Amino acid sequence: MRGLPWHWNARLAGHPWPTRERAPRWLHARDAFVLLLPLFGAFIARWPVHYPPPVGFWQGLVLQCVLLPTLFIIQFAHPGWRALGFTTRGMVQSLLLGALYCLIYILLLLVSSRYGLHTPHFDEARRFLGTPLVLALYFPFWGLLESVWMAYAIAAFHGWLSPRGDQVRWRDVIAAGVWFGILHALVQVILYRAPFLPSLSYVLVGVLMVVAGSIRKATRNAWGMVLFWCVTNF
């Protein structure tokens, strides 16, 4: 069959009608909706509601809650949990690699703390609310839910940019990371009303998603990425 045209090869292979797989021109509407959820959350969270202190923490929680439709779309529609890498196959390797990434991250934090560097992500919330309450809200929303959204983003870009293969490619992970960084910059402008130019530095947050996504790519499993994000995002 080697010298025959591609459509005859398809017919002889048993396909009812010859088809040539092509990359879709646009993202599926469902995927675009999920990818835009953080922006919807930013607009919803900035509504004139009297938030108790710390205001930024509660606004961020509202934004994270807007990501909840992602779970329903995964459960009741395509692509399903397996397509996102949430399977038992490769889970041990994924968790081990995620744990290694976490260890490296913690070591970097210890080294940077010696030079006076610090990440005050939830410091204000811990002072107002206490660490137990902050952790109780952090893990299900900023940890688990956001990392599931990240896995969906990688799968969405994979379906758009690399539809011919099951293996996630670097371009899928990088595209998702770039979008993640852009979203962080836009959230700073929309929700926290930060100046545009200084907010552009938040695009670099996408690098962390690329690092997390490398676990998904290397092991074909997303559980290690979830572990890494739950530890490093706090």
Side-chain angles (χ1 to χ4, degrees), residues 57 64 102 105-106 109-110 112 118-144 146-147 150 180 184 205 208 225-234:
F57 177 80
Q64 296 300 123
C102 291
Y105 175 80
I106 292 172
L109 284 183
L110 293 176
S112 62
H118 178 59
T119 54
H121 196 180
F122 289 95
D123 284 359
E124 185 181 10
R126 287 197 293 264
R127 286 196 299 269
F128 276 91
L129 305 174
T131 300
L133 179 57
V134 173
L135 286 175
L137 294 173
Y138 163 78
F139 277 109
F141 292 101
W142 280 274
L144 294 174
E146 188 169 66
S147 57
M150 291 163 56
F180 191 64
H184 271 75
V205 176
L208 288 177
M225 183 179 72
V226 173
L227 172 64
F228 173 74
W229 198 252
C230 286
V231 172
T232 59
N233 198 31
F234 187 68

Side-chain angles (χ1 to χ4, degrees), residues 31-48:
D31 297 338
F33 171 75
V34 172
L35 292 176
L36 290 173
L37 281 177
L39 287 184
F40 299 153
F43 282 108
I44 293 173
R46 68 171 290 176
W47 283 357

Side-chain angles (χ1 to χ4, degrees), residues 171-199:
R171 61 186 176 189
D172 311 324
V173 176
I174 293 173
V178 170
W179 178 241
F180 191 64
I182 292 173
L183 285 175
H184 271 75
L186 292 176
V187 166
Q188 293 298 314
V189 175
I190 296 170
L191 179 56
Y192 301 114
R193 296 175 173 83
F196 177 75
L197 289 179
S199 298

